[in-house]
Amino acid sequence: MTTFAPIYRGRFAPSPTGPLHLGSLVAAAGSFLEARTRHGEWHLRMEDVDAPRCDAAAAGEILRTLEACGFAWDGEIVWQSRRGEAYAAALERLKAAGRVFPCACTRRELADSAIAPDGAAIYPGTCRDGLAPGRAARAWRLRVGDARVSFDDAIQGRIDSDLARDAGDFILLRADGLFAYQLAVVVDDAETCITHVVRGADLLASTSRQIFLQQCLGVPTPEYAHLPVVVNAAGEKLSKQTRAAPVDSARPGPTLFAALDFLGQRPPAGLSAAPVAELWAWAMANWRLADVPRGPAPMAESV
Ligand code: GLU
């Protein structure tokens, strides 16, 4: 039997480091509405690859909150913590193709590295041509060489990146033995045949790295749409670290309303206290990706 990949397969990929907040609900709602209004599938992936930062209780809470908000996903949930073999196989392919190199550098040795626009340290190339005698590999990095990556983001427009300048040779297998987020995302998006990635613009700088990695692995590049990021009054992205208020599972409607409003959809004020089913009915009939604003905007968290 021949199976055909669907025209549209989207996903939401939360990291279970804490409860869902307005910022994560924006990413969930944006990816869900775009997928469903295009008659596509919407999958869920728990990005618990960074095990020390994740906890099972947070994952369970995220699932309960998504259900309380009225999200329904297709297929089985993918748990990154169970996918080590797939990541190891991808790394082996990259080793065989000479795309990666072992790195012995410690964090302290890299402390003076140049910093990429997204805050990542740019690898100075110390181990790129081989480990110095007596040094042992701690991590594995991808060689970016003089690669340039360009793509058209459905919200942010044309993005051009010079990887040596914007990212440097980035880590795929960390010194603590864990696979890096970039590798896990690329392997998972490819194996689950994700065709469209709709997520927060805080990940925009990762996208060029991920597209380059897709090219190295010979897997397709999905379409991308990066949603504006919700920031608090101090201009910080909402997160567990900035103590973002969790979505209230007992009464998620107001936060869903705020998420739709933030996404430029202008839900009618009369729905601000409506049950989630009514909000979804309105959103499904009225969703327009073209109305989503590009930039971040401060948002009251008291919704
Ligand atoms: N797990 C990432 C986050 O919660 C999202 C990754 C992605 O959508 O590619 O920020």
Side-chain angles (χ1 to χ4, degrees):
M1 191 180 92
T2 316
T3 50
F4 294 96
I7 305 282
Y8 192 113
R9 184 178 279 174
R11 75 342 181 244
F12 175 54
S15 301
T17 53
L20 280 191
H21 48 73
L22 176 64
S24 28
L25 194 66
V26 161
S31 59
F32 181 69
L33 285 164
E34 185 62 7
R36 292 293 189 234
T37 56
R38 292 176 69 171
H39 309 292
E41 295 179 4
W42 186 73
H43 291 255
L44 198 56
R45 182 166 77 224
M46 276 296 163
E47 299 217 311
D48 55 353
V49 67
D50 189 352
R53 287 186 57 232
C54 298
D55 81 87
E61 211 179 320
I62 288 174
L63 296 179
R64 277 190 298 279
T65 308
L66 287 173
E67 276 170 0
C69 288
F71 289 96
W73 51 90
D74 293 299
E76 300 277 310
I77 298 171
V78 173
W79 296 80
Q80 288 190 328
S81 54
R82 302 174 193 167
R83 303 236 334 120
E85 274 179 35
Y87 308 147
L91 184 63
E92 287 309 314
R93 277 169 57 204
L94 294 166
K95 283 184 190 173
R99 294 286 200 164
V100 288
F101 63 89
C103 176
C105 299
T106 61
R107 204 176 276 264
R108 190 183 303 169
E109 285 166 334
L110 297 176
D112 298 331
S113 305
I115 301 297
D118 67 342
I122 301 212
Y123 186 62
T126 323
C127 304
R128 192 181 293 140
D129 298 319
L131 296 176
R135 307 257 356 225
R138 292 165 48 82
W140 282 81
R141 291 179 182 273
L142 186 69
R143 269 175 224 288
V144 301
D146 56 4
R148 285 167 184 273
V149 167
S150 299
F151 65 99
D152 290 303
D153 187 273
I155 297 169
Q156 308 295 331
R158 182 84 174 162
I159 307 288
D160 294 301
S161 173
D162 168 343
L163 284 181
R165 181 197 65 199
D166 298 338
D169 295 333
F170 55 94
I171 288 195
L172 300 186
L173 180 63
R174 303 174 0 176
D176 59 6
L178 293 172
F179 289 100
Y181 157 72
Q182 309 290 359
L183 181 67
V185 168
V186 166
V187 170
D188 290 343
D189 280 343
E191 282 193 17
T192 52
C193 299
I194 298 299
T195 60
H196 291 75
V197 172
V198 179
R199 61 184 178 190
D202 51 315
L203 291 159
L204 197 53
S206 283
T207 305
S208 306
R209 293 175 177 84
Q210 290 171 16
I211 292 176
F212 179 63
L213 191 43
Q214 287 154 6
Q215 293 167 351
C216 293
L217 285 166
V219 298
T221 292
E223 300 287 328
Y224 288 96
H226 285 85
L227 304 166
V229 174
V230 186
V231 295
N232 63 20
E236 302 159 324
K237 181 191 152 205
L238 299 196
S239 68
K240 190 179 162 192
Q241 287 71 33
T242 58
R243 295 173 190 276
V247 176
D248 179 358
S249 291
R251 201 169 162 266
T255 317
L256 186 55
F257 181 92
L260 293 171
D261 193 40
F262 177 79
L263 286 166
Q265 305 300 305
R266 300 166 192 260
L271 289 181
S272 63
V276 289
E278 242 175 86
L279 272 166
W280 283 124
W282 180 88
M284 290 292 178
N286 292 282
W287 168 255
R288 271 171 49 90
L289 189 73
D291 289 341
V292 176
R294 282 172 74 165
M299 196 72 196
E301 280 179 57
S302 56
V303 286

